[in-house]
Amino acid sequence: MVRGTAVAALDPATGQRRWTAPAVPQAVFGCALGAGRLLLSGSRGTAYCLDVGTGKGLWHTTVRAVDPGGTGTDFQAPSAGDGFFAVPLLDGSSAAAVLDRAGGAVRWVARAPSDEGRWTTAADGATLYCASATTLRAFRAGAA
């Protein structure tokens, strides 16, 4: 549960809070769960990974925009696959960054013509699916 400036894990049986951690980034655009890790995607290209059992921060990374200023680009809701997280980029193009789940390194960025529109992602195993209003693309993201 992301609420205000905190992320909380609730016990599924009782609804009681297990742990609370700061919501870094403060503007959370989405989250994805994979292999005991929770990825929070946010503004300015930030992605933060927490341990689901403890709420402890494991890593964070920033995906830089293409512009010369090098500031991060905003993310949409991420998805999780085998060994990776995928985050659609909101930089005015059809793009998604694939992050290594273990340490957050950017493995690669997929792009399509900007007239295709923004992507939404879904992952299944080692395959990343990127959908726009007109096109569905599939990429082999590979396992870590």
Side-chain angles (χ1 to χ4, degrees):
M1 164 177 81
V2 178
R3 187 175 192 113
T5 60
V7 177
L10 306 178
D11 184 286
T14 66
Q16 296 297 312
R17 187 172 295 185
R18 286 187 177 173
W19 53 259
T20 302
V24 180
Q26 290 185 7
V28 175
F29 294 139
C31 60
L33 181 65
R37 292 171 182 242
L38 175 68
L39 182 81
L40 302 173
S41 64
S43 63
R44 316 253 329 133
T46 56
Y48 291 84
C49 187
L50 305 176
D51 180 279
V52 172
T54 65
K56 178 184 177 223
L58 300 173
W59 54 261
H60 72 275
T61 192
T62 301
V63 176
R64 300 288 176 201
V66 180
D67 72 341
T71 60
T73 184
D74 288 345
F75 291 150
Q76 260 185 292
S79 55
D82 290 348
F84 71 93
F85 288 110
V87 286
L89 305 179
L90 296 177
D91 62 359
S93 67
S94 306
V98 174
L99 309 177
D100 181 71
R101 188 168 53 211
V106 178
R107 287 188 187 174
W108 47 270
V109 176
R111 292 194 181 274
S114 61
D115 62 350
E116 191 172 297
R118 290 184 178 158
W119 280 346
T120 302
T121 64
D124 182 30
T127 305
L128 170 63
Y129 298 94
C130 299
S132 71
T134 62
T135 307
L136 174 65
R137 296 177 183 272
F139 301 93
R140 291 295 282 170

